[in-house]
Amino acid sequence: MGKSVKKPGKVARTGKSAPSATRKPDSARRTATTGEETSRRKLERVRVPSPSARREDSTEGRYVYCVIRSDEPLSFGPLGLGPEPSEVHTIHHRDIAAVVSKTPIVVQDPTRENVLRHQQVNETVMQKHTVIPMSFGTVFKTNDDIIELLRSAYDAFSDVLNKMQGKFEFGLKVLWDRDHIVREIEEEDEDIRRLKSEISSQKGSTYFARMQYGRLIDAALQARSERYVAEIFDALRSVSVASRSNKPIGDKMIMNAAFLVSREMEQAFDGRVKQIGQQYDKLTFKYTGPWPPYNFVNIRLKLERAH
């Protein structure tokens, strides 16, 4: 369930935001900011059967949502992508399984509806299983191809599943009113206040004064933003396993982070975010989750056809 801390003492709960269609779970996730190192294994090559070995309809493929730990066949209902949702089920190798549904072999458009459907399947599966989320649009031609993927990458998948066991991801965005912060800085900084007064009182050219004023404001904003972000990360360190810092979006956002949180610490994390929201009354906190650990799993697949 998504959460949003708008103002001090007020916590509104909203539905989950849809993940960006251009933001793929296994793409590069920027630089880690704090927390212990999580598994980020790279799979260089996965050999798939040659066309002559395939006996299934060449126009129908298998859409893969995630990989889980299970040695028994599972079905999750008619949730799959497509105009008529297809049955979501598992394909196995040893004690791991890919969660899939049948789909035409076409490039899946990252529309809002398709991305939400992809996310819905992962959310359903993660209610009872630790998941390794796959990129939106991951399609294989046959069941044999998927089994070969699981076999070739078994050690890496198993290692990640062990490390992600019982953990979820929460997203946290922090925004501020830039103009309000600038006014605060002007009131607090004597040099900036003096420059602003000179600019407003001068009749001639104020070019150099305005340049100096702009540089001082930018530096003060950067320093204050970095201080806030460092303090928030520090406050959440004890209730999270790891964190990652992503690039802020737009002028108002100063923090765009993801936190890996263990199941037993979920309530503590939720409470700490609310506490921080009350402490920093001039900031707006928006957080969503729980999600599969998109920012903490980075398995890159390079497929090679076997001839």
Side-chain angles (χ1 to χ4, degrees):
M1 180 179 295
K3 302 129 181 160
S4 176
V5 180
K6 294 294 188 182
K7 291 296 179 183
K10 296 183 180 179
V11 179
R13 292 179 177 270
T14 60
K16 284 185 176 180
S17 301
S20 171
T22 59
R23 171 184 168 222
K24 295 189 176 181
D26 65 346
S27 62
R29 290 301 187 188
R30 294 105 181 175
T31 306
T33 299
T34 185
E36 68 182 42
E37 184 68 22
T38 56
S39 179
R40 303 181 68 77
R41 300 286 297 273
K42 183 176 181 180
L43 311 184
E44 290 294 346
R45 293 185 182 275
V46 176
R47 300 180 69 83
V48 298
S50 63
S52 61
R54 296 183 177 119
R55 298 179 179 178
E56 301 175 57
D57 185 352
S58 61
T59 65
E60 185 179 68
R62 304 293 182 270
Y63 187 100
V64 183
Y65 301 90
C66 59
V67 174
I68 63 174
R69 179 88 65 189
S70 177
D71 54 9
E72 297 181 357
L74 299 172
S75 179
F76 299 94
L79 303 174
L81 267 74
E84 296 183 4
S86 55
E87 188 72 20
V88 175
H89 61 282
T90 50
I91 295 175
H92 295 256
H93 171 70
R94 294 172 61 178
D95 62 342
I96 64 174
V99 176
V100 311
S101 65
K102 292 183 179 180
T103 183
I105 300 181
V106 296
V107 176
Q108 295 290 343
D109 292 328
T111 62
R112 177 177 174 81
E113 180 181 358
N114 283 343
V115 172
L116 284 173
R117 186 72 61 81
H118 175 100
Q119 182 61 34
Q120 180 186 10
V121 172
N122 279 334
E123 288 178 28
T124 300
V125 176
M126 69 179 280
Q127 291 177 7
K128 295 183 178 180
H129 303 273
T130 297
V131 308
I132 298 176
M134 302 295 283
S135 299
F136 175 85
T138 300
V139 178
F140 288 82
K141 288 187 176 181
T142 69
N143 289 353
D144 287 341
D145 292 348
I146 295 174
I147 293 171
E148 179 62 15
L149 164 69
L150 297 177
R151 185 197 66 77
S152 300
Y154 178 83
D155 289 343
F157 281 134
S158 186
D159 179 59
V160 173
L161 286 168
N162 288 339
K163 287 181 168 62
M164 295 295 109
Q165 179 67 38
K167 300 179 180 69
F168 303 115
E169 176 177 319
F170 287 85
L172 178 63
K173 294 178 173 63
V174 180
L175 302 91
W176 67 7
D177 184 332
R178 188 180 185 277
D179 293 338
H180 181 80
I181 300 298
V182 167
R183 288 194 295 270
E184 278 193 351
I185 292 172
E186 290 173 344
E187 293 173 1
E188 297 170 6
D189 190 299
E190 184 178 349
D191 290 336
I192 291 177
R193 190 166 60 251
R194 176 181 52 80
L195 274 172
K196 185 179 181 181
S197 177
E198 289 180 7
I199 293 170
S200 60
S201 62
Q202 286 182 8
K203 295 182 179 180
S205 174
T206 60
Y207 175 78
F208 291 107
R210 285 187 287 107
M211 288 290 291
Q212 186 178 2
Y213 168 85
R215 285 194 295 267
L216 291 175
I217 285 291
D218 288 343
L221 286 170
Q222 181 69 19
R224 184 164 301 199
S225 170
E226 290 175 355
R227 187 181 82 237
Y228 285 156
V229 170
E231 290 172 353
I232 294 166
F233 269 116
D234 187 62
L236 293 171
R237 184 175 293 114
S238 64
V239 291
S240 60
V241 177
S243 63
R244 294 189 64 82
S245 179
N246 298 322
K247 185 178 179 181
I249 304 168
D251 294 335
K252 294 184 178 181
M253 188 181 298
I254 63 171
M255 178 174 169
N256 181 13
F259 291 85
L260 188 67
V261 179
S262 61
R263 188 186 299 271
E264 59 270 20
M265 292 299 291
E266 182 177 347
Q267 290 186 351
F269 182 84
D270 187 270
R272 186 68 56 83
V273 172
K274 293 175 183 176
Q275 181 182 358
I276 296 170
Q278 294 173 345
Q279 179 182 349
Y280 294 89
D281 60 340
K282 296 180 179 64
L283 304 179
T284 298
F285 290 74
K286 295 182 178 179
Y287 77 111
T288 58
W291 300 101
Y294 290 120
N295 280 273
F296 302 93
V297 174
N298 184 19
I299 296 181
R300 300 180 182 277
L301 305 177
K302 183 176 181 180
L303 303 183
E304 180 185 70
R305 177 174 295 171
H307 294 284

